[in-house]
Each structure stands twice: as structure tokens, then as C-alpha cells.
Amino acid sequence: DSGVTQTPKHLITATGQRVTLRCSPRSGDLSVYWYQQSLDQGLQFLIQYYNGEERAKGNILERFSAQQFPDLHSELNLSSLELGDSALYFCASSSQTGVLGYTFGSGTRLTVV
Amino acid sequence: GQQVMQIPQYQHVQEGEDFTTYCNSSTTLSNIQWYKQRPGGHPVFLIQLVKSGEVKKQKRLTFQFGEAKKNSSLHITATQTTDVGTYFCAGRKKTSYDKVIFGPGTSLSVIP
């Protein structure tokens, strides 16, 4: 157990639908990052939050949004889903300094049918 | 924007052979991190290099950070089947506060 909890582990949904992925960072970590990993692909950075505020944005589609709540957990909302959105979605957290690197959760595997 | 590249994309080695993956950044980095992702798993942080020319070892793994802080390498001596996975480097920009940019990864297969 890495300390970063992601739910659900698996999600199957139809095109056009909306889903919410949830992430609880490791205790004490203020930064949360969301990454998308398609089959045999690298880690595409989506968005970063730090202590409730958006810190950086990557290649995140307008159909996607995220937020970090006061208890530091984060949610990634994916709407108007397309087949191409099928991927592994990872959440990672880090300490303020990031000296110990990012701690990744086990990911949510999203399948859009 | 900043790019982090890795070569090779794939590497197949016989068990016991050495393996090296190279990471190059288009810009100077403040530090570089390495991660390993086992098949079906999530990326796991291995190490962070900060100083120019820094070399760190973890058992059979040797990590180097280039003098110009734009490139890095990971060398595995005498590979074992437990080394199978994808190795990612991730660089933090000199002027960026926190976000790291991941390279595309090198997928290592070890033939027993």
C-alpha cells in the first residue's frame, strides 16, 4: 500500500457518460497530481493541485475537470466520454518539497464502451 | 515547451546482461527522478538526483546526472527477471516550482 488511495479500481461506462475518479493523498502530502496512461503509453500529466488550489495544468481536455477539497482529497471528473478516453488514470501525491518523489496510487482503469 | 526524451523505447536482454536507459531534456533541470513501473502496476519512485555530475547507486542500479543537468542515465548490472518493467525518468524544470515532466519510458524485458 503506497498510502495514496484511488477509487474505484475499475470503471466501465458508455460513451457520452460522466464519471468521477477519487483520490486520497498520502497523509501529510499537500500536492496532488493526475496522470493519464493509455495502453503502452507514457504518463500524460493532466493537472496538479496544491493545498486546494490549482497549481499547474497539462494536456487536460475541456471535458475533464478536477478539484481538491479542504480535506485534501481530489476528484477528477470526466464528461462526455469517448472511446479514446479509455485509459489508466493515476493520482500521485508529494510532500511540499517533493524530495521523496511522487507517490502513486494504484490507478483507476477506465473502459469506455 | 519542455521535453524529456528517453532511449531506447524497448530493450530485451538475456538474464545476466547489463541494461542502460538514457534520458535527455531539452532544458536544464533542477533535478531528475527515476521511477519503475512493473507490468500491471503503478510507478514507484526509485531515486532523485540533484547535483551536477551526481552518481548514486542502489544495489545493481547506478544512476547518473549529467554535468550540464540536461541528461541522466540508469544502468542495471546483471539484470534479473525482477527488473522487468518500464523505467521512467522525470525532470523538474529549473524555474518550475514543483511539477515534473515524465519521459516516455523504457520498457525492459528480461529473458530467463
Side-chain angles (χ1 to χ4, degrees), chain B:
Chain B
Q2 180 193 6
Q3 287 191 327
V4 176
M5 305 305 296
Q6 276 184 262
I7 56 169
Q9 186 177 1
Y10 300 97
Q11 184 81 59
H12 305 277
V13 300
Q14 203 76 35
E15 189 173 17
E17 291 182 340
D18 292 356
F19 159 77
T20 303
T21 173
Y22 300 91
C23 177
N24 291 284
S25 170
S26 57
T27 59
T28 303
L29 301 170
S30 63
N31 60 57
I32 196 154
Q33 301 174 354
W34 285 91
Y35 293 78
K36 176 184 178 181
Q37 183 177 20
R38 293 181 187 273
H42 58 274
V44 174
F45 174 73
L46 295 177
I47 206 162
Q48 176 168 277
L49 305 173
V50 179
K51 299 177 183 176
S52 170
E54 188 171 13
V55 178
K56 285 188 175 180
K57 291 190 175 184
Q58 288 180 350
K59 296 182 181 179
R60 295 178 294 103
L61 277 61
T62 301
F63 304 84
Q64 289 188 311
F65 201 9
E67 294 290 341
K69 301 185 76 173
K70 294 180 73 173
N71 57 74
S72 180
S73 66
L74 158 58
H75 179 83
I76 302 178
T77 303
T79 54
Q80 300 175 358
T81 54
T82 53
D83 296 325
V84 166
T86 301
Y87 293 85
F88 294 97
C89 65
R92 178 174 285 120
K93 282 170 63 173
K94 202 167 178 62
T95 56
S96 170
Y97 175 73
D98 202 16
K99 181 168 65 71
V100 297
I101 304 296
F102 280 82
T106 295
S107 178
L108 172 64
S109 298
V110 178
I111 305 163

Side-chain angles (χ1 to χ4, degrees), chain A residues 38-81:
Chain A
S38 301
L39 192 62
D40 292 333
Q41 295 294 310
L43 294 157
Q44 299 299 316
F45 170 69
L46 296 177
I47 199 164
Q48 175 198 357
Y49 282 86
Y50 176 78
N51 202 20
E53 295 192 1
E54 183 182 304
R55 175 65 64 87
K57 234 174 183 176
N59 301 320
I60 187 166
L61 300 171
E62 286 191 9
R63 301 183 285 109
F64 296 0
S65 65
Q67 54 183 328
Q68 186 179 28
F69 295 87
D71 67 351
L72 300 179
H73 91 271
S74 178
E75 292 181 357
L76 178 66
N77 301 295
L78 315 176
S79 62
S80 302
L81 285 168

Side-chain angles (χ1 to χ4, degrees), chain A:
Chain A
D1 182 11
S2 67
V4 176
T5 304
Q6 285 189 251
T7 57
K9 291 194 183 304
H10 303 277
L11 201 49
I12 302 175
T13 190
T15 54
Q17 295 298 305
R18 171 190 169 96
V19 296
T20 298
L21 312 184
R22 183 188 167 100
C23 169
S24 293
R26 194 180 56 167
S27 178
D29 286 354
L30 300 179
S31 285
V32 169
Y33 312 81
W34 285 98
Y35 286 87
Q36 180 193 56
Q37 187 175 46
S38 301
L39 192 62
D40 292 333
Q41 295 294 310
L43 294 157
Q44 299 299 316
F45 170 69
L46 296 177
I47 199 164
Q48 175 198 357
Y49 282 86
Y50 176 78
N51 202 20
E53 295 192 1
E54 183 182 304
R55 175 65 64 87
K57 234 174 183 176
N59 301 320
I60 187 166
L61 300 171
E62 286 191 9
R63 301 183 285 109
F64 296 0
S65 65
Q67 54 183 328
Q68 186 179 28
F69 295 87
D71 67 351
L72 300 179
H73 91 271
S74 178
E75 292 181 357
L76 178 66
N77 301 295
L78 315 176
S79 62
S80 302
L81 285 168
E82 302 174 358
L83 296 178
D85 298 327
S86 296
L88 252 180
Y89 290 85
F90 285 110
C91 166
S93 71
S94 73
S95 65
Q96 184 174 0
T97 61
V99 170
L100 297 179
Y102 291 6
T103 302
F104 281 80
S106 300
T108 294
R109 181 170 294 283
L110 172 67
T111 303
V112 182
V113 296

